[in-house]
Amino acid sequence: MKNLLEFLRKHFHWFLFVILEIASAILLFQYNSYQNSVWFSSANAVAGRVYGWSSAVEQFFSLTKINEDLTLRNFYLERQVTQLRRLYSDATNEVDIKERQELEMLSQYKLIPAKVITNELNEPDNLITIDKGEADGVEAGMGVACGKGVVGVTHMTSEHYSIVIPVLNVTSSRISCAIRGRGYFGVLRWDGKDAGMAYVEDIPRHARFKIGEWVETNGYSSIFPAGVLIGQIKQVYNSRDGLSYKLQVRLSTDFGNLRDVVVISDKSIAERVRLLQAAKDSLKLNVKE
């Protein structure tokens, strides 16, 4: 104890100097807007890099499992494409037309691969950060998916990063969807509780379906193409007003183990949005007249 006190007495001026420097820095950045903004921007950049390094380390140790999943999924998809092409050719004998239609459909979409840098699960309004931004062709309002299904929609972008509003966001996530093979559509929402469950609302009372059937995007919005998997029906409830059904859906995407995603860039989105806006403007003009 005596040696400690002697050490503190001997080097007291250095400790005082460090304390005063820290206090000065706090006062400088807290009460000066310019310095505060510089500090905030720098801190965000450093945090982004740290998150990137941390994510890279995690991804390195999970590459084996990811590669196994991707290999199996690619094999499954290749088999599906082969079977569909064969069935279509047998039915129509129009191989050339089929190949042209496939090329036209695929040319509309550009898939931008990205890595998840940060991923929230425990908040009502969770957000995801990915390592692709405007420099990579990502824009706000683009759909984001993974190998297992829907993830969310891009909300804000910078040059090299983007913020995604995932399905697990109570306030802002609304995804148009339908029961596979049935045609009945509704809106996917999350209730802020179980990260593995969401709810499809506004399914009409005359709809016919079974527990265990699949829910997917319906392609009615300009964000997701039709057929992107969302999840499987687990329970069926009545809506509050009793006029429709509310479906509990087990999400196909495992948000707790989300690493690799793709941003869906649809070249036809801009055209559809312009056409829809022109139609709305036309209706407004007709009402005024």
Side-chain angles (χ1 to χ4, degrees):
M1 187 65 182
K2 183 178 179 181
N3 291 335
L4 176 61
L5 293 175
E6 182 64 20
F7 176 83
L8 293 175
R9 186 188 66 79
K10 192 173 183 179
H11 300 283
F12 174 75
H13 57 285
W14 289 110
F15 290 111
L16 180 61
F17 173 78
V18 172
I19 293 172
L20 291 176
E21 285 292 320
I22 294 174
S24 299
I26 292 174
L27 292 174
L28 176 65
F29 291 115
Q30 186 172 359
Y31 294 103
N32 293 274
S33 58
Y34 174 75
Q35 284 82 355
N36 186 38
S37 64
V38 171
W39 166 257
F40 184 78
S41 300
S42 302
N44 279 345
V46 172
R49 291 185 178 277
V50 171
Y51 282 132
W53 294 334
S54 174
S55 179
V57 172
E58 292 180 8
Q59 289 162 9
F60 176 80
F61 289 106
S62 62
L63 280 178
T64 301
K65 184 66 171 63
I66 290 173
N67 287 333
E68 290 175 357
D69 292 342
L70 288 175
T71 301
L72 291 174
R73 185 166 183 81
N74 286 338
F75 175 78
Y76 173 72
L77 291 175
E78 287 293 340
R79 288 295 302 271
Q80 274 193 325
V81 170
T82 301
Q83 291 173 1
L84 289 172
R85 184 180 289 111
R86 178 179 55 80
L87 290 172
Y88 187 91
S89 299
D90 291 343
T92 63
N93 294 320
E94 296 179 353
V95 180
D96 293 338
I97 293 177
K98 168 61 177 172
E99 290 179 352
R100 285 200 300 269
Q101 288 176 341
E102 284 184 349
L103 290 174
E104 289 175 0
M105 181 183 68
L106 291 174
S107 65
Q108 294 180 359
Y109 300 101
K110 177 185 176 184
L111 300 182
I112 304 170
K115 299 285 186 184
V116 173
I117 301 300
T118 63
N119 181 17
E120 300 173 346
L121 290 175
N122 302 318
E123 301 294 332
D125 295 324
N126 296 298
L127 295 174
I128 293 173
T129 306
I130 59 176
D131 67 346
K132 291 293 187 295
E134 296 167 2
D136 307 288
V138 179
E139 300 175 3
M142 288 182 172
V144 181
C146 65
K148 296 181 179 179
V150 167
V151 173
V153 180
T154 56
H155 176 57
M156 296 178 65
T157 60
S158 64
E159 187 175 1
H160 299 294
Y161 296 95
S162 297
I163 300 296
V164 177
I165 295 177
V167 171
L168 307 183
N169 188 298
V170 175
T171 303
S172 303
S173 179
R174 302 288 185 272
I175 296 176
S176 183
C177 57
I179 301 173
R180 176 183 289 174
R182 300 287 187 176
Y184 304 112
F185 59 88
V187 178
L188 183 72
R189 303 171 188 263
W190 186 53
D191 65 354
K193 298 177 182 177
D194 188 347
M197 293 287 185
Y199 294 86
V200 178
E201 301 177 354
D202 303 327
I203 297 294
R205 296 289 296 184
H206 63 270
R208 294 292 178 265
F209 55 89
K210 299 177 182 178
I211 290 176
E213 291 189 327
W214 292 91
V215 175
E216 60 188 13
T217 58
N218 55 21
Y220 291 169
S221 72
S222 60
I223 298 174
F224 289 100
V228 181
L229 192 61
I230 289 177
Q232 192 173 30
I233 300 173
K234 290 300 181 182
Q235 295 290 337
V236 180
Y237 305 96
N238 289 320
S239 63
R240 291 183 179 180
D241 56 13
L243 299 178
S244 61
Y245 289 124
K246 179 179 180 180
L247 311 182
Q248 185 187 52
V249 175
R250 168 68 68 180
L251 297 173
S252 58
T253 298
D254 182 2
F255 284 91
N257 189 30
L258 194 59
R259 292 289 182 271
D260 294 85
V261 298
V262 291
V263 182
I264 303 170
S265 175
D266 183 357
K267 296 178 181 178
S268 66
I269 286 178
E271 181 181 353
R272 296 204 301 268
V273 170
R274 285 196 300 268
L275 180 61
L276 181 60
Q277 187 60 47
K280 291 180 178 179
D281 294 341
S282 177
L283 290 173
K284 290 179 181 179
L285 289 174
N286 290 335
V287 170
K288 289 180 180 179
E289 292 176 357

